[in-house]
Amino acid sequence: MSSKMQSSSSIAQARRTVRQLRIEASIERIKISKASSDLMRYCGEHAKNDPLLMGVPASENPFKDKKPCTVL
Amino acid sequence: MGEMEQLRKEAESLKDQITAARKAVQDTTLQEAAAGITVVGRVQLKTRKTLRGHLAKIYAMHWAVDANLCVSASQDGKLIVWDTITTNKVNAIPLKSSWVMTCAYAPSGNLVACGGLDNMCSIYNLKGKDGNVKVMRELAAHTGYLSCCRFLSDSEIITSSGDCTCVLWDIETGTQKTVFAGHQGDCMSLAVSPDFKFFISGACDFTAKLWDIREGVCRQTFGGHESDINAIGFFPNGNAVITGSDDATCKLYDLRADQELITYQDSSIMCGVTSLAPSLSGRLILAGYDDFNVNIWDSLKSERVCWQVMTTE
């Protein structure tokens, strides 16, 4: 590759980098206090539906082996 | 000043702007905000089923939306669709290439996909008319291995590759709709947002990127890891991203604050993270490590949660 081609491809790369950084610099950011409280609230609201936190009642557990029934 | 020098200066200035803007919203930390919450108590687990049938290393698995069926991919050259309640194999699909690294189940339940060192993503129709599972499409264009794939629908799938790009494919035509370029290292993993508008990718350039699927652009880049990111996932509400890295840590990045909120690390853990998933509420993060262990983290407290496997009811 000639040095002219090399420098034009690195300029193209540098332009892409600047274009991308402009996109990333332009976003709105919320405060960490709000981000944190929203995460904490989501965890709190959904804890009761989280089987790893609450366990699963045997009657509702599809993976629990069924005990054989006897018909009297 | 030459254009190259100008561009270099502008890039540095933009990076400083981003750093400053991130700092400006640091009115607290997640650790401080969650200080009043108690760490989750012991989690009790019980092994319910063991799915036996693969003859070599299992590289990947993915649940179907019904949380009953799942698909797994093994380097024995098979994709197996399991009924996890009965442990029956619903389908055992022989692969053309046994070097499979990833698999995915379509939300509809109609299709599964896989790929690996063949650089292709192969789509299989599980609901073909004659009952046989056949290759429906071979999506070929990546110049590197297929590390991960995830369906948006029966007509669109996103792939990540060792060629440093992610691609959105039109399954019907087998063509690339959008190429997501920007990572400077192999893309190792991807996850789609709950609303299907974004996806995140983790790569060997130590960064995670958030991509706008329809606009085809990277909206945000998250750094901080000191080695390859192997695993990535969304927090259940779609507002945060969790990554797992060869640097032995997991991190949580908030999308709206545009920065890392917390790192899950312990000085006794010295090996890489290979896989991760949040629990349904997001409160727990389960992470698999290179030492064959799983650690469960309290996502808000960055402390490991004790867990034990119960052998009796």
Side-chain angles (χ1 to χ4, degrees):
Chain A
M1 207 197 281
S2 74
S3 67
K4 207 180 228 175
M5 272 179 70
Q6 265 177 329
S7 62
S8 68
S9 74
S10 13
I11 288 202
Q13 176 59 50
R15 282 191 198 133
R16 274 195 296 270
T17 302
V18 166
R19 192 163 42 232
Q20 180 57 38
L21 286 169
R22 280 192 195 135
I23 292 175
E24 295 182 19
S26 69
I27 65 164
E28 294 288 314
R29 295 167 181 82
I30 66 168
K31 293 224 184 291
I32 294 199
S33 53
K34 166 122 176 75
S36 302
S37 69
D38 284 354
L39 282 176
M40 285 156 54
R41 184 169 346 106
Y42 188 91
C43 288
E45 282 170 0
H46 292 83
K48 60 184 183 303
N49 299 323
D50 191 333
L52 288 179
L53 293 176
M54 295 300 171
V56 186
S59 54
E60 292 172 27
N61 188 342
F63 296 101
K64 192 167 156 51
D65 287 325
K66 305 264 180 290
K67 294 196 171 38
C69 301
T70 44
V71 179
L72 297 171
Chain B
M1 201 192 298
E3 187 181 358
M4 197 62 202
E5 186 53 27
Q6 246 180 318
L7 290 167
R8 210 193 324 264
K9 280 201 149 193
E10 188 173 358
E12 285 313 303
S13 158
L14 286 164
K15 284 181 197 166
D16 290 341
Q17 253 184 267
I18 292 171
T19 305
R22 284 172 170 163
K23 211 166 153 77
V25 296
Q26 287 169 7
D27 56 344
T28 184
T29 64
L30 175 56
Q31 297 245 243
E32 282 168 34
I37 299 183
T38 344
V39 178
V40 171
R42 188 189 305 270
V43 169
Q44 293 187 328
L45 304 175
K46 187 163 170 47
T47 304
R48 287 292 180 197
K49 305 288 175 187
T50 301
L51 307 175
R52 294 182 210 282
H54 279 305
L55 303 171
K57 195 188 243 190
I58 298 168
Y59 262 77
M61 65 81 60
H62 193 215
W63 283 101
V65 153
D66 67 2
N68 180 350
L69 300 176
C70 72
V71 62
S72 60
S74 163
Q75 297 210 338
D76 65 4
K78 292 261 191 337
L79 270 192
I80 298 182
V81 177
W82 307 87
D83 176 327
T84 59
I85 303 214
T86 62
T87 74
N88 289 339
K89 300 176 191 43
V90 178
N91 301 105
I93 306 163
L95 304 175
K96 267 197 211 174
S97 163
S98 64
W99 305 114
V100 64
M101 295 172 67
T102 183
C103 61
Y105 218 123
S108 65
N110 296 330
L111 309 174
V112 290
C114 68
L117 293 182
D118 59 355
N119 297 2
M120 291 195 315
C121 182
S122 301
I123 314 283
Y124 294 84
N125 186 353
L126 297 176
K127 308 284 171 76
K129 265 170 290 201
D130 55 1
N132 280 334
V133 176
K134 298 195 300 264
V135 180
M136 199 182 101
R137 279 299 170 272
E138 283 174 342
L139 308 174
H142 277 301
T143 54
Y145 59 86
L146 205 84
S147 52
C148 194
C149 56
R150 286 292 179 257
F151 285 91
L152 295 183
S153 65
D154 280 3
S155 53
E156 288 180 317
I157 191 167
I158 300 184
T159 56
S160 62
S161 169
D163 68 11
C164 308
T165 70
C166 297
V167 171
L168 169 69
W169 302 83
D170 178 326
I171 296 177
E172 195 58 35
T173 60
T175 56
Q176 298 173 288
K177 270 184 156 165
T178 314
V179 177
F180 301 90
H183 274 300
Q184 310 272 293
D186 300 14
C187 294
M188 297 303 292
S189 186
L190 75 96
V192 180
S193 65
D195 64 7
F196 290 91
K197 291 184 180 165
F198 299 94
F199 76 93
I200 43 174
S201 57
C204 294
D205 61 6
F206 313 170
T207 71
K209 283 179 180 287
L210 176 78
W211 305 89
D212 182 322
I213 296 177
R214 298 305 152 197
E215 299 294 319
V217 295
C218 167
R219 292 258 175 245
Q220 292 168 259
T221 301
F222 302 98
H225 274 299
E226 296 170 356
S227 187
D228 303 353
I229 294 177
N230 299 316
I232 199 162
F234 271 95
F235 188 86
N237 69 356
N239 285 341
V241 163
I242 313 158
T243 54
S245 166
D246 271 346
D247 68 9
T249 75
C250 296
K251 286 177 186 288
L252 183 138
Y253 298 94
D254 189 281
L255 296 181
R256 295 174 306 159
D258 185 42
Q259 57 192 282
E260 174 190 327
L261 290 193
I262 201 163
T263 296
Y264 307 100
Q265 68 189 348
D266 188 301
S267 54
S268 64
I269 303 174
M270 291 176 290
C271 60
V273 179
T274 56
S275 61
L276 62 80
S279 70
L280 264 179
S281 67
R283 185 66 195 270
L284 301 174
I285 294 171
L286 290 89
Y289 292 73
D290 268 329
D291 61 1
F292 319 144
N293 284 328
V294 172
N295 287 306
I296 305 186
W297 297 91
D298 181 328
S299 64
L300 301 177
K301 305 291 287 180
S302 177
E303 282 189 41
R304 279 193 285 175
V305 173
C306 294
W307 58 279
Q308 59 177 154
V309 179
M310 304 297 290
T311 48
T312 58
E313 284 305 334

